[in-house]
Amino acid sequence: MDLLKLLAYQKSRRPKFALLVLIQFNLLKVASSSLGFGPQLAMQLAERLYTQGFISYPRTESTAYPSSFDFRGALEVLRNNSVSGNDVQKLLADGYIKPRSGTDVGDHPPITPMRSALEDMLGYDAWRVYQYVCQHFLGTLSPDCKFIRTKIDFLVGVEFFNCTGQNVTVKGFTSLMPWLAVSEKSLHRLTKGEKIELSKVELYEGYTAPPDYLSESELISLMEKNGIGTDASIPVHINNISERNYVQVQAGRRPSQPFSCCATFQQKFSYFVKKIENMDSLFEAQFSPLSDGKCPRYMKYISSLPSRLFCGTCEEVYFVPQKGTIKLYKEIMCPLERTTLSF
C-alpha cells in the first residue's frame, strides 16, 4: 500500500463579511429562493408592510444609510420583540457595528424595520417577509464571521492532492442567519514530512450534466445586471410571462420552458401573417388616400368660435380642438398664401 506524504500544512484566519444592507432586488431574490414567494407577491407583501408602518419603503436601490441615521433608535424599536428582542439586547450591550459602506443613490434608505410586530398582527406570509427584514437588518449590524482555514498538501506516489478544513472562531452575523454559516470540517494536526499509510483508495465515475433551469432569483440578478426592466417592472415582467404560460414555475421557484411555448408563438405568428391583409382593408375603408386630389396648400386658422382651419382655394374645413392654444410653428409661411403654419 502506498504512503501519503505530507508536503504542507497551512492555517490561515479568514473572515466571512456581514451582508450589505437590504435593498429591493435582494429582498426579491431571497423571497424567491428561501421564502417561496414570487417577486410580484413579495413586493405586494413588502408594500403592505410599508403602508402599515412596519418597514421602510421597499422600492429602494441605496446600499448606504444616510450619515445621520439613528441605528440605536432603530434597534430600540425591536428591543422588546418576543422573537428578535434577545438578539437586539445583545447587540446593544456588546455594541453594534455600522453596516459596510455602500452607495446612497438618493432615493430611499435601505429596507429597515420601523415597528415591532408579531405573526398574529401580520398574517403568515407577511410575517415571514417582516421577520427576514429584521434578521437582515440585525445581521448588517453584527460582527463578521471569522474562521480558521486549514489546507493540507500531500503526495501519493507521483500524484499531488490537497484537502481543506474550516473551524469557526467567531460566529458573528451567522448566529442570526444560520443558513449562511460556514460549514465546519476539522482536520487532524499533522507535521510536514509526515508519512501516513493509506487505508483505502476509491475511484468514482460520473457524468457531466446540462445546467438546470434558471431560478427566479437568478433571473432577477441577470435582469438587474443587464438593465432589463426597473425596480418597479421586474416583478411584473416575471409574473406576466408566468401567467401567459410562456414559462411554468416548478418547485424551488425555477421557471421552466413549457413544450407548447414555441408552438403557441408559431400559431400566433401564422395568424398575424394571414390576417394582415384585413388590416390593410380596414385602413382603406377608414382613410382616404393622399392621391385623391386634395388641395396641397396651407390652410388658414380661423380663431372665432368654432375654431377651424379653412382653405380658401378648395373651401375645405377642418375643425380643431376648441379652447386650445395655437402656436406658430418655426414661423414657417405658405409661399402662396403667405399664411403661417401653426400647431
Side-chain angles (χ1 to χ4, degrees):
M1 179 68 70
D2 289 333
L3 295 177
L4 180 153
K5 182 179 180 180
L6 186 67
L7 301 178
Y9 184 92
Q10 300 173 327
K11 282 191 173 185
S12 58
R13 296 184 179 276
R14 301 289 182 90
K16 181 173 183 178
F17 296 112
L19 298 178
L20 285 171
V21 294
L22 186 61
I23 61 174
Q24 178 187 345
F25 287 117
N26 292 339
L27 178 61
L28 294 181
K29 288 185 280 189
V30 169
S32 177
S33 61
S34 301
L35 304 182
F37 300 144
Q40 181 101 335
L41 176 58
M43 282 313 302
Q44 290 173 353
L45 294 171
E47 287 175 343
R48 188 199 309 167
L49 290 170
Y50 164 68
T51 56
Q52 293 174 338
F54 290 105
I55 65 173
S56 61
Y57 190 65
R59 294 187 184 276
T60 177
E61 298 179 33
S62 290
T63 55
Y65 283 98
S67 58
S68 59
F69 188 83
D70 183 9
F71 291 103
R72 175 169 287 276
L75 288 172
E76 289 288 353
V77 168
L78 303 175
R79 176 191 281 273
N80 297 320
N81 187 277
S82 60
V83 176
S84 55
N86 290 337
D87 296 323
V88 171
Q89 292 174 24
K90 188 174 186 303
L91 277 176
L92 290 171
D94 297 344
Y96 61 87
I97 298 173
K98 288 188 177 182
R100 286 191 289 150
S101 60
T103 303
D104 185 354
V105 300
D107 53 356
H108 298 275
I111 305 174
T112 308
M114 305 299 291
R115 284 175 55 194
S116 179
L118 297 175
E119 181 178 346
D120 57 0
M121 299 169 61
L122 305 178
Y124 180 66
D125 289 346
W127 164 251
R128 295 179 67 201
V129 174
Y130 172 80
Q131 189 177 30
Y132 178 76
V133 171
C134 292
Q135 285 178 310
H136 194 111
F137 176 66
L138 298 180
T140 61
L141 299 179
S142 300
D144 297 333
C145 172
K146 296 179 181 179
F147 61 96
I148 296 177
R149 184 173 184 267
T150 304
K151 181 182 179 183
I152 299 177
D153 297 319
F154 54 91
L155 177 69
V156 179
V158 295
E159 300 292 340
F160 293 92
F161 298 91
N162 65 70
C163 62
T164 57
Q166 297 177 147
N167 296 96
V168 175
T169 57
V170 178
K171 289 186 176 182
F173 75 98
T174 62
S175 62
L176 300 171
M177 311 175 83
W179 60 91
L180 297 177
V182 173
S183 299
E184 293 196 76
K185 179 182 178 181
S186 298
L187 298 178
H188 293 291
R189 175 67 187 177
L190 300 173
T191 305
K192 182 178 179 180
E194 185 176 350
K195 295 182 179 180
I196 304 172
E197 184 176 336
L198 292 177
S199 60
K200 182 171 61 174
V201 176
E202 294 180 333
L203 180 65
Y204 293 95
E205 182 178 353
Y207 299 91
T208 59
D212 201 352
Y213 292 120
L214 279 177
S215 67
E216 279 181 332
S217 178
E218 293 165 340
L219 178 59
I220 293 169
S221 296
L222 290 172
M223 293 177 73
E224 178 187 9
K225 178 181 178 181
N226 293 282
I228 302 174
T230 64
D231 55 353
S233 66
I234 283 179
V236 177
H237 293 326
I238 295 177
N239 186 66
N240 284 344
I241 63 174
S242 179
E243 285 190 345
R244 295 169 185 172
N245 288 325
Y246 291 119
V247 297
Q248 294 174 340
V249 180
Q250 298 178 329
R253 306 299 306 178
R254 288 191 177 274
S256 65
Q257 185 83 8
F259 294 111
S260 61
C261 180
C262 293
T264 301
F265 177 80
Q266 184 179 14
Q267 291 172 2
K268 289 183 177 181
F269 182 76
S270 298
Y271 179 85
F272 173 79
V273 172
K274 291 177 182 178
K275 301 297 182 180
I276 190 63
E277 293 181 356
N278 294 341
M279 183 63 70
D280 293 338
S281 300
L282 176 63
F283 273 98
E284 290 174 0
Q286 296 292 327
F287 300 97
S288 301
L290 295 175
S291 58
D292 280 358
K294 292 289 183 180
C295 178
R297 299 190 180 190
Y298 285 127
M299 305 180 76
K300 294 181 180 180
Y301 172 63
I302 309 299
S303 59
S304 59
L305 296 178
S307 302
R308 59 202 182 277
L309 296 174
F310 173 72
C311 177
T313 302
C314 64
E315 298 185 348
E316 189 80 28
V317 176
Y318 291 124
F319 289 96
V320 298
Q322 303 301 303
K323 299 181 181 179
T325 301
I326 304 299
K327 299 180 181 179
L328 297 181
Y329 180 70
K330 297 183 179 179
E331 298 185 356
I332 298 176
M333 300 187 69
C334 173
L336 299 177
E337 300 290 343
R338 306 305 298 169
T339 55
T340 56
L341 178 62
S342 305
F343 72 94

